[in-house]
Amino acid sequence: MGKSVNPDLAKARSQATFDPANLTNYLYGGPEKLRRKRYLPAFVFKELCTEMSLTDLCLIFLGLLTHVSDYLGLTLSIENMAAKEYKEEGFKSTDDMSREEAYEESMRRAVYTNKRVLQLNLQDQEEQYYFREIFVPGANPFALHYVMFKDAINTQGTEDQIQKWLPLAETYAVTGTYAQTELGHGTFLRGLETTAEYDVQREEFILNTPTITSSKFWPGALGKTANVAILNAKLITKGRNCGMQSFWVPLRHLETHQPLPGITVGDIGPKFGYHTSDNGFLQLNRVRIPRENMLMRYSKVLQDGTFVPPENDRLVYVPMTQFRFVVIGRSGWTLAKAVTVATRYSAVRRQSEITPGGGEVQILDFQTQQHKLFTQIASAYAMIIAAKAAKDLYDSAFSKMEKGNLEDLPMLHALTSSMKAFNTWEMATGVEQCRMACGGHGYLLASGIPQMYTDMVSACTYEGENTVMCLQAARFLNKCQEAANKGERLPQLTRFLQTSRLNISSSLDQDVDLNDIIAAYEFRAATVISEANARLNAGLAMGKSQSEAWNYASQLLVKAALAFSHWFTVRALIENMRGAGFDNSTETLLLQLAKLYALDGMLRYSGDFRKVG
Ligand SMILES: CCCCCCCCCC/C=C\CCCCC/C=C/C(=O)SCCNC(=O)CCNC(=O)[C@H](O)C(C)(C)COP(=O)(O)OP(=O)(O)OC[C@H]1O[C@@H](n2cnc3c(N)ncnc32)[C@H](O)[C@@H]1OP(=O)(O)O
Ligand SMILES: Cc1cc2nc3c(=O)[nH]c(=O)nc-3n(C[C@H](O)[C@H](O)[C@H](O)COP(=O)(O)OP(=O)(O)OC[C@H]3O[C@@H](n4cnc5c(N)ncnc54)[C@H](O)[C@@H]3O)c2cc1C
């Protein structure tokens, strides 16, 4: 590779007190997964690129993965690669393109990677994601197809429906979206107006968006890409509203891609970010689909129109819960990318003097710059590791659910809701801090950071608006607090409400004990949850109804959910760092990082921590 490494960066790297490969292996799930992660894109680049040797590419990827690397430089070099498929045009940055051109360029690349994923028979979703992410760095027009569309089929469809529809999705015989949100309702699902009325004579559902506010609005890929939707609508059969159900709804002709009769679809227009995702609108004018198109794993409509309810009406929400886990994990990795760019930049950017006449220093030498960046490095590790811990809980609960045991569903909903809100808010704040730490150059699209922000900050809204998600988690936490008040047995995850005590042994003049840190966060969460519960009960004592008292306490209830997530994150970070089997120098460093994360959190929420002593 002809590129020489900047001497300031080489100096910074040479001062590392640990072997970065240990961390990279840990973060990517071990040497074999890491090898696969490196091999896949490099394999395709070799195939595509006429200008760069495979050795060059592997060195780039080695640089990207094992050191604080030139993410910025890598992005530009990939963009400029002359590739067989695109040699006449080359990979152009979409930054200077119109929205239409950017969508088309992303679509070209996404279609290419879809073909290669099939040809390489890549089954693992993570491997598919790594493979695509390099080629389609912004919003992928197929994002909904890859995740929510297929997840909904897998979790809401019967075995027969899965057998019938999933191969179509896997081979891109169809391109799907997940259409739930309407112009008038995104959060309040019970307010959705789209109807699916059962016609018992013809054994069909008649889908209708009766009002302008019932138009489906926001679903990704609806504007141009998708030709099928998993669509959520109010089921009406035998004159009764049976609540929200999911339906397989063809939208566009599979050959001509023209909207089918009764279907009006289009793009909703420019957005704050996410420019290469064609979020769209959909109106249905009495569109008929066969009875078999209702996803009937949990609830059914029999031929005579009889509605068979699900064992639990919340099971229809499972695709959202599943995708919240994806968002929880992506938030940490997005912050990791942003802080990589900002830290590398801070090693090579020389600006101002610390000692007058001593010459301009690397801005990484300023204490303020270190505080801006090291707290975000710690936060990225914390979010990635907490997401792994949450996923372990999810997997064990989900395997029970698949056997019909739904006891963990409320805990799962509370955990995914609160962690999705906590991680995306922390990510948004952190990425913006990284951008500003790069001065004017951070404001350049070429830095890569602005798009990370404008794309991913939408995760604070989609998949459940964050405040609403905190309130959802608070329902569960408040119930647990009420049970704790009565001395009843609690779910494992919230037993600290009954056991947490503040017996901190650390004193201010010694290095803080990690167990004390966990105890402090646990006690803070228990205190805030208890305060929210007290405020709710005070509202009831004032004669307010349950819903009015809930609204009266809602600001504290949101805080309770966030304090719970913060505790879960700190505990996961410390326990995983201690138990990960690192060599001493790496473990020492990571525990320092964990302390930095926890103590920075105490400073940022010092009101809570001082209040609890
Ligand atoms: C390397 C890694 C690999 C990664 C793979 C791929 C990565 C791809 C990355 C792609 C990147 C970007 C793509 C992003 C595209 C964006 C996609 C966005 C999609 C969407 O936004 S879909 C629409 C999302 N919409 C929502 O979330 C709506 C939110 N609102 C609700 O969920 C509900 O209205 C409500 C929960 C707020 C209220 O429910 P409601 O029934 O009206 O009333 P309640 O009384 O509050 O609840 C009733 C009880 O039900 C319980 N409940 C609610 N929800 C759930 C749930 N999900 N699960 C379980 N239980 C639930 C609730 O707790 C109540 O029970 P209780 O009374 O408390 O006992
Ligand atoms: C980039 C992007 C992609 C998307 N992709 C999809 C998709 O593919 N498919 C899909 O179906 N949808 C999609 N959505 C829609 C998304 O799911 C909704 O925007 C989201 O659920 C929020 O609903 P809303 O927009 O109606 O906001 P609202 O719920 O109207 O929120 C507005 C304000 O009201 C507050 N609020 C609402 N309810 C309450 C409450 N009960 N208590 C307290 N405060 C409340 C909120 O906190 C917020 O501050 C996407 C959205 C975006 C931004």
Side-chain angles (χ1 to χ4, degrees):
M1 179 168 81
K3 208 161 146 298
S4 65
V5 176
N6 175 294
D8 282 334
L9 186 59
K11 184 183 105 191
R13 287 173 177 165
S14 67
Q15 290 162 357
T17 58
F18 65 99
D19 177 356
N22 294 339
L23 288 185
T24 312
N25 282 324
Y26 173 76
L27 287 173
Y28 285 104
E32 178 51 22
K33 278 205 163 194
L34 177 60
R35 188 190 66 76
R36 289 283 296 169
K37 175 172 173 12
R38 286 186 184 142
Y39 169 74
L40 292 167
F43 167 85
V44 178
F45 285 155
K46 176 179 180 298
E47 185 179 71
L48 273 176
C49 293
T50 54
E51 288 179 6
M52 202 172 277
S53 74
L54 181 59
T55 314
D56 286 344
L57 290 160
C58 288
L59 287 173
I60 286 181
F61 273 88
L62 277 170
L64 174 68
L65 296 174
T66 54
H67 297 291
V68 169
S69 70
D70 182 353
Y71 181 79
L72 173 64
L74 176 72
T75 307
L76 291 179
S77 53
I78 288 175
E79 299 280 333
N80 299 331
M81 275 177 202
K84 273 187 194 138
E85 291 256 328
Y86 307 101
K87 63 173 178 274
E88 62 285 358
E89 293 126 348
F91 270 174
K92 301 183 290 293
S93 163
T94 55
D95 291 345
D96 285 331
M97 290 182 187
S98 70
R99 197 161 70 87
E100 188 81 17
E101 290 164 338
Y103 166 78
E104 285 169 7
E105 174 63 15
S106 294
M107 179 54 86
R108 276 190 330 137
R109 298 184 192 181
V111 167
Y112 174 76
T113 55
N114 292 346
K115 279 192 288 188
R116 296 303 284 129
V117 163
L118 289 175
Q119 288 159 357
L120 296 168
N121 191 28
L122 288 185
Q123 301 284 332
D124 180 274
Q125 192 183 60
E126 277 200 358
E127 289 190 355
Q128 291 178 8
Y129 181 75
Y130 293 145
F131 191 80
R132 293 184 181 113
E133 194 191 26
I134 290 283
F135 281 89
V136 193
N140 188 316
F142 284 84
L144 266 293
H145 178 91
Y146 300 139
V147 200
M148 293 197 78
F149 178 69
K150 291 200 284 189
D151 285 350
I153 296 167
N154 273 318
T155 59
Q156 309 294 309
T158 62
E159 286 312 313
D160 288 348
Q161 289 174 326
I162 293 171
Q163 296 302 325
K164 181 169 72 169
W165 291 331
L166 201 58
L168 298 177
E170 297 289 3
T171 58
Y172 301 97
V174 300
T175 306
T177 183
Y178 182 84
Q180 173 176 286
T181 302
E182 297 175 356
L183 184 65
H185 292 95
T187 289
F188 189 58
L189 297 186
R190 280 181 286 153
L192 291 181
E193 299 172 78
T194 301
T195 54
E197 199 166 351
Y198 185 62
D199 173 352
V200 69
Q201 304 307 321
R202 293 175 52 175
E203 294 190 23
E204 292 173 335
F205 294 105
I206 303 166
L207 297 172
N208 203 33
T209 51
T211 60
I212 184 71
T213 50
S214 63
S215 309
K216 291 300 178 185
F217 196 92
W218 273 110
L222 200 49
K224 288 185 167 66
T225 310
N227 46 35
V228 175
I230 297 295
L231 178 132
N232 288 345
K234 221 170 19 182
L235 167 65
I236 295 167
T237 177
K238 295 189 174 185
R240 192 163 67 92
N241 173 3
C242 301
M244 186 176 90
Q245 307 298 329
S246 298
F247 301 84
W248 170 283
V249 182
L251 302 173
R252 292 181 168 95
H253 191 284
L254 294 187
E255 299 302 325
T256 67
H257 207 60
Q258 289 307 305
L260 296 171
I263 300 268
T264 307
V265 277
D267 189 282
I268 62 173
K271 304 182 287 285
F272 180 67
Y274 229 54
H275 303 306
T276 51
S277 168
D278 54 318
N279 299 81
F281 66 84
L282 163 68
Q283 292 173 328
L284 300 150
N285 181 8
R286 304 189 65 71
V287 172
R288 285 179 172 271
I289 57 174
R291 182 177 67 91
E292 294 73 21
N293 279 30
M294 176 175 152
L295 280 73
M296 297 203 205
R297 187 187 197 97
Y298 296 115
S299 46
K300 296 176 177 33
V301 171
L302 307 182
Q303 284 174 296
D304 68 355
T306 304
F307 175 64
V308 180
E311 185 190 334
N312 181 317
D313 59 4
R314 297 154 201 181
L315 287 165
V316 71
Y317 291 150
V318 165
M320 291 183 282
T321 301
Q322 273 193 319
F323 193 61
R324 284 169 194 150
F325 263 108
V326 171
V327 175
I328 290 165
R330 295 320 306 156
S331 302
W333 285 105
T334 300
L335 179 56
K337 282 200 294 191
V339 75
T340 296
V341 172
T343 306
R344 182 194 178 286
Y345 178 76
S346 301
V348 301
R349 174 73 168 177
R350 285 183 173 271
Q351 194 68 202
S352 311
E353 298 177 333
I354 291 179
T355 309
E360 291 196 87
V361 299
Q362 293 163 281
I363 56 176
L364 197 52
D365 288 346
F366 291 111
Q367 182 84 165
T368 49
Q369 192 77 358
Q370 290 177 16
H371 184 265
K372 288 173 193 174
L373 298 176
F374 296 174
T375 51
Q376 296 313 324
I377 292 175
S379 183
Y381 271 92
M383 285 201 267
I384 290 169
I385 287 158
K388 290 175 192 275
K391 187 74 172 54
D392 293 345
L393 269 178
Y394 172 85
D395 289 342
S396 66
F398 205 69
S399 62
K400 283 163 73 175
M401 275 162 50
E402 287 185 317
K403 299 180 185 100
N405 178 344
L406 302 180
E407 67 178 356
D408 289 346
L409 193 56
M411 175 278 290
L412 210 50
H413 174 45
L415 182 67
T416 48
S417 300
S418 58
M419 287 295 287
K420 181 266 184 188
F422 179 78
N423 273 20
T424 52
W425 268 330
E426 290 288 294
M427 175 271 300
T429 310
V431 169
E432 181 59 355
Q433 179 150 305
C434 293
R435 184 191 65 75
M436 290 190 278
C438 296
H441 300 334
Y443 196 68
L444 275 174
L445 290 183
S447 75
I449 300 179
Q451 182 176 335
M452 288 182 214
Y453 182 82
T454 55
D455 280 357
M456 273 306 278
V457 74
S458 54
C460 297
T461 304
Y462 66 59
E463 230 23 85
E465 197 281 327
N466 278 1
T467 305
V468 172
M469 290 298 100
C470 287
L471 291 169
Q472 280 296 302
R475 289 176 71 107
F476 171 76
L477 297 171
N478 187 59
K479 281 189 186 141
C480 291
Q481 183 60 57
E482 289 290 343
N485 297 345
K486 297 169 194 156
E488 294 168 3
R489 182 174 167 74
L490 295 184
Q492 175 62 39
L493 194 60
T494 54
R495 271 196 203 130
F496 69 87
L497 292 177
Q498 291 169 316
T499 60
S500 179
R501 297 291 176 271
L502 193 64
N503 49 5
I504 301 289
S505 58
S506 302
S507 61
L508 287 179
D509 60 358
Q510 71 184 81
D511 193 8
V512 65
D513 178 288
L514 291 164
N515 293 322
D516 284 345
I517 286 181
I518 295 175
Y521 272 84
E522 186 178 88
F523 192 73
R524 176 249 190 152
T527 304
V528 178
I529 293 166
S530 167
E531 281 180 353
N533 174 258
R535 173 112 173 149
L536 183 65
N537 290 327
L540 293 171
M542 290 154 71
K544 292 179 186 292
S545 68
Q546 179 66 33
S547 50
E548 287 165 344
W550 182 263
N551 194 29
Y552 173 71
S554 52
Q555 192 54 27
L556 266 182
L557 290 164
V558 168
K559 276 193 68 177
L562 293 173
F564 168 76
S565 294
H566 211 169
W567 158 74
F568 182 88
T569 301
V570 166
R571 184 184 70 160
L573 177 63
I574 290 173
E575 288 181 352
N576 281 280
M577 289 302 91
R578 277 197 292 217
F582 288 114
D583 60 273
N584 283 341
S585 64
T586 306
E587 180 170 297
T588 302
L589 174 99
L590 288 172
L591 292 177
Q592 269 184 317
L593 205 62
K595 282 180 196 170
L596 173 63
Y597 176 75
L599 296 176
D600 179 56
M602 287 182 181
L603 286 173
R604 289 193 294 144
Y605 297 92
S606 53
D608 284 357
F609 286 92
R610 292 193 62 78
K611 192 166 29 166
V612 301

